[in-house]
Amino acid sequence: QLGGGRDWFEREVPQHKLVLPTYYVARYPVTVAQFRVFVENSGYEPKDQDSLRGIDNHPVRYVTWQDALEYCKWLTERLREWDGTPKPLATLLGKKRWVVTLPSEAEWEKAARGCDDDRRYPWGNDPDPSRANYRDTGIGTTSAVGCFPGGASPYGVEDQSGNVWEWTRSLWGTDWQKPDFGYPYDPRDGRENLDAGNDVLRVLRGGSFGYSGNYVRCACRSGGDPVDRFRYYGFRVCVVSQQD
């Protein structure tokens, strides 16, 4: 807990409600095996070759924000072309305005918290190292995606607490100490600009295997330089309408 018994950060307030358009989020973060297929198929050069050297079914890490976004662009086109794409997904992507991308931080948090629920963690209000891979769990590195089913969110999304911090498409601002894009969250204020420069930090969510329980809460948010590639950083994808 923080000083004075507080277990939240100033950058998380004020609390407020949002109504989000329909979107779909991946159940698990992108794995090393999935990212490796992208690199081999596309010829893309990731910024750090260590992103390709992890265990196949663990979340990919050492990826920059740009690496993650390039994966999303590639996956959008591959799923549009592939005959095996499930029909509901193929229909959405076939409309062209739907794409695979990184979730906004609001989309990420709703997937973790559920709807109209003040829960602090995807599973409830109390930290539990048997439900997620964070510092108290004692693993000290990534774990296979899906191996903590007890930590699933109300929507069945897994690994949102711990394992790796996850890039979102939302902007943080140029100063880590004082985010330009605070709360209340307003998607029309420029914080979802994918063309922002590398001097603008991007929002990360979820904490990681190396962080305490206070950092794996649904509401916890942080900012990272888009060219950073750390052992704690990974991502998951979502499918959204570009017109929403």
Side-chain angles (χ1 to χ4, degrees):
Q1 292 202 340
L2 302 183
R6 197 180 71 186
D7 60 356
W8 50 272
F9 299 107
E10 291 289 346
R11 54 185 179 265
E12 300 168 12
V13 296
Q15 288 185 319
H16 56 290
K17 290 187 177 183
L18 290 174
V19 177
L20 298 176
T22 298
Y23 67 99
Y24 303 89
V25 67
R27 177 168 292 180
Y28 308 112
V30 173
T31 65
V32 173
Q34 291 169 325
F35 192 76
R36 190 182 296 123
V37 168
F38 153 62
V39 170
E40 293 172 350
N41 181 270
S42 67
Y44 178 79
E45 288 287 338
K47 302 303 184 293
D48 193 328
Q49 291 297 312
D50 281 344
S51 61
L52 307 176
R53 299 190 178 112
I55 300 172
D56 281 0
N57 64 348
H58 284 220
V60 67
R61 49 186 178 150
Y62 300 103
V63 286
T64 67
W65 184 86
Q66 290 96 339
D67 289 338
L69 201 61
E70 287 301 318
Y71 176 92
C72 292
K73 294 175 182 177
W74 168 82
L75 187 58
T76 298
E77 295 309 314
R78 291 296 296 161
L79 291 173
R80 284 174 175 165
E81 298 167 356
W82 184 40
D83 291 339
T85 302
K87 187 174 180 180
L89 180 56
T91 299
L92 290 177
L93 296 175
K95 294 178 180 179
K96 300 299 182 182
R97 67 189 184 94
W98 285 80
V99 296
V100 179
T101 188
L102 299 173
S104 69
E105 66 166 318
E107 290 162 347
W108 189 98
E109 184 169 335
K110 181 177 180 180
R113 187 189 296 280
C115 186
D116 296 325
D117 195 331
D118 290 331
R119 64 180 60 203
R120 300 161 98 188
Y121 300 91
W123 57 84
N125 287 322
D126 298 316
D128 186 342
S130 71
R131 294 179 183 268
N133 178 9
Y134 60 100
R135 190 170 65 196
D136 290 353
T137 311
I139 295 176
T141 187
T142 56
S143 51
V145 302
C147 73
F148 287 90
S153 80
Y155 294 115
V157 185
E158 301 189 34
D159 289 273
Q160 287 194 269
S161 281
N163 220 351
V164 290
W165 283 98
E166 298 181 9
W167 288 113
T168 74
R169 69 177 187 271
S170 302
L171 302 181
W172 176 272
T174 56
D175 185 348
W176 190 89
Q177 297 289 342
K178 292 183 64 177
D180 298 321
F181 298 101
Y183 283 173
Y185 176 93
D186 182 356
R188 298 161 296 185
D189 65 4
R191 71 178 68 207
E192 303 304 338
N193 177 18
L194 293 177
D195 297 322
N198 288 340
D199 60 326
V200 184
L201 281 66
R202 270 60 170 185
V203 174
L204 291 145
R205 289 299 202 114
S208 80
F209 62 86
Y211 284 69
S212 70
N214 197 40
Y215 287 86
V216 301
R217 293 173 297 106
C218 297
C220 185
R221 59 196 300 257
S222 187
D225 191 308
V227 299
D228 282 345
R229 48 191 190 275
F230 295 140
R231 65 192 183 111
Y232 297 118
Y233 288 5
F235 69 103
R236 79 176 64 223
V237 302
C238 72
V239 177
V240 302
S241 170
Q242 297 183 99
Q243 294 183 4
D244 288 335

